[in-house]
Amino acid sequence: MKEQKIVLIPMCKIDETTLSEIKNHIEKVYSLEVKVDFLEKNLNYIKKNQYLTEQILQEVQKSKIQDNEKWILIVDIDVYHNSNPVLGLAYPHCGISVVSTKKLKQGFYNLTENEKLFLERLKKMVIHELGHLFYLDDCHTKECVMQCSTPIDEKESFLCRSCKKFLEYRLKGYKYSLLLYTLWHA
Ligand SMILES: [Zn+2]
Ligand SMILES: [Zn+2]
């Protein structure tokens, strides 16, 4: 299997410190090289206030040539999937995922902005969607970053032991095994 690479693609304004914190965190969790790419030519497209995740996918997919890359796009617009608003979404078959920062900010709820909290939430969302790109499922472990019913502020920004084990298995090039995955989560 070709060496997997993660590409972090900010499609909205994100300050340098936040960006490098996110990059470092991905490297820590996935132990893979992370490249930051600005994908300039698509910036004009993402200007409306809301988008369907499929539209974003369609647009950026053309620029994705390497199939050993896992892309994580960060946008600041509302994103929808099947007319439902979502915080993020992943398309494992094409290795592209997207996270929206909009509802991760306290300002969205008319509360005082909290940069630290925002960074933690963004880390969790990014790690979660990337997890799906490596075929990790939503996890039952309460604190696990792959858990989807635990409120975002109550889970950790790391993979639990079984998700980590499954990730290692995937990275070694083994095919997706639902049986093993289920066993590890039992
Ligand atoms: Zn999920
Ligand atoms: Zn887990």
Side-chain angles (χ1 to χ4, degrees):
M1 197 168 88
K2 249 165 124 189
E3 178 87 43
Q4 300 285 304
K5 267 185 202 151
I6 292 171
V7 188
L8 175 60
I9 307 171
M11 302 187 91
C12 55
K13 255 191 215 123
I14 293 183
D15 67 85
E16 294 266 328
T17 330
T18 307
L19 201 59
S20 72
E21 295 242 19
I22 297 291
K23 182 178 182 283
N24 292 345
H25 190 66
I26 302 173
E27 280 167 350
K28 193 153 61 173
V29 174
Y30 287 97
S31 309
L32 290 171
E33 185 195 329
V34 179
K35 189 175 84 182
V36 176
D37 193 331
F38 289 91
L39 217 69
E40 298 287 355
K41 65 183 179 122
N42 290 304
L43 280 174
N44 285 334
Y45 176 78
I46 312 286
K47 265 189 179 154
K48 288 192 196 164
N49 291 327
Q50 60 183 53
Y51 262 97
L52 289 174
T53 47
E54 287 77 11
Q55 290 175 302
I56 300 175
L57 177 77
Q58 248 177 23
E59 188 60 23
V60 298
Q61 210 174 2
K62 300 172 208 157
S63 320
K64 191 172 183 295
I65 302 152
Q66 306 295 342
D67 58 7
N68 62 326
E69 288 182 352
K70 305 282 187 206
W71 281 17
I72 176 89
L73 315 172
I74 301 177
V75 299
D76 59 359
I77 47 165
D78 268 331
V79 284
Y80 284 79
H81 177 64
N82 297 335
S83 69
N84 298 315
V86 288
L87 293 176
L89 207 80
Y91 293 91
H93 61 285
C94 48
I96 298 176
S97 57
V98 56
V99 165
S100 165
T101 58
K102 196 155 180 178
K103 297 187 176 103
L104 302 180
K105 291 179 179 161
Q106 288 294 75
F108 180 82
Y109 309 94
N110 289 325
L111 298 167
T112 316
E113 289 296 358
N114 180 335
E115 281 308 314
K116 206 170 156 242
L117 191 61
F118 169 69
L119 177 65
E120 278 310 299
R121 289 174 176 170
L122 186 57
K123 273 185 194 171
K124 291 171 192 177
M125 281 307 300
V126 164
I127 297 299
H128 183 99
E129 298 309 335
L130 276 171
H132 285 318
L133 293 189
F134 290 102
Y135 295 91
L136 291 179
D137 245 320
D138 287 325
C139 178
H140 303 304
T141 308
K142 195 178 172 284
E143 315 75 43
C144 179
V145 74
M146 293 311 290
Q147 164 68 261
C148 65
S149 44
T150 303
I152 193 161
D153 296 332
E154 287 170 32
K155 57 184 182 183
E156 290 170 357
S157 57
F158 293 91
L159 297 171
C160 73
R161 216 170 52 105
S162 41
C163 285
K164 218 179 151 76
K165 213 160 153 189
F166 182 72
L167 174 74
E168 281 163 21
Y169 179 83
R170 282 286 312 172
L171 290 175
K172 278 185 191 139
Y174 296 116
K175 288 268 182 297
Y176 182 46
S177 158
L178 194 60
L179 175 68
L180 274 177
Y181 189 52
T182 313
L183 284 176
W184 281 333
H185 276 81

